[in-house]
């Protein structure tokens, strides 16, 4: 069984350092990486039809921006020869990363 490294990634300096560490660790152990990007999103229960349409539009735009963050990191992982998967989720950052880890 190979090691699995979970990296919370947001393209910040800290996120990039975590990614570099995970790459080095995965290469040294033959491990794999799950790259997790979380979009903070809280549910609203009472919205008008117009607000729901606007919310859907914003959500689509956020997913497009998330792909722009994740794609270069995934390219870096593949170039490094590391087996990796990206996960983009909505929610509270810490809670979502913990849920993915479980």
């Amino acid at each position: 069984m190979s090691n699995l490294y979970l990296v919370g990634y947001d393209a910040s300096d800290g996120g990039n350092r975590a990614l570099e560490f995970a790459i080095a660790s995965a290469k040294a152990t033959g491990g794999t990486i799950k790259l997790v990007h979380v979009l903070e999103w809280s549910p609203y229960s009472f919205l008008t039809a117009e607000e729901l349409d606007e919310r859907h539009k914003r959500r689509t735009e956020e997913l497009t921006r998330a792909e722009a963050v994740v794609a270069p990191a995934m390219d870096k992982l593949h170039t490094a020869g590391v087996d990796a998967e990206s996960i983009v989720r909505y929610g509270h950052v810490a809670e979502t990363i913990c849920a993915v880890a479980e």
Side-chain angles (χ1 to χ4, degrees):
M1 180 179 189
S2 66
N3 292 333
L4 174 63
Y5 300 92
L6 182 69
V7 179
Y9 187 75
D10 61 2
S12 66
D13 289 341
N16 285 315
R17 284 191 305 274
L19 181 60
E20 290 296 331
F21 179 81
I23 289 171
S25 298
K27 287 177 83 170
T29 64
T32 61
I33 294 175
K34 287 192 186 258
L35 186 76
V36 182
H37 181 75
V38 180
L39 298 163
E40 290 211 57
W41 191 265
S42 59
Y44 296 100
S45 55
F46 302 105
L47 295 174
T48 67
E50 293 82 19
E51 290 169 326
L52 284 171
D53 286 341
E54 179 62 27
R55 183 177 169 110
H56 178 71
K57 179 182 172 190
R58 283 184 293 157
R59 190 172 184 162
T60 301
E61 291 169 353
E62 287 177 342
L63 286 171
T64 301
R65 284 193 301 270
E67 180 59 30
V69 169
V70 170
M74 290 301 294
D75 289 344
K76 187 173 199 168
L77 287 161
H78 292 139
T79 298
V82 175
D83 184 27
E85 170 189 3
S86 66
I87 300 168
V88 176
R89 298 267 171 89
Y90 280 96
H92 180 273
V93 175
E95 292 172 1
T96 303
I97 291 172
C98 287
V100 170
E102 290 175 353

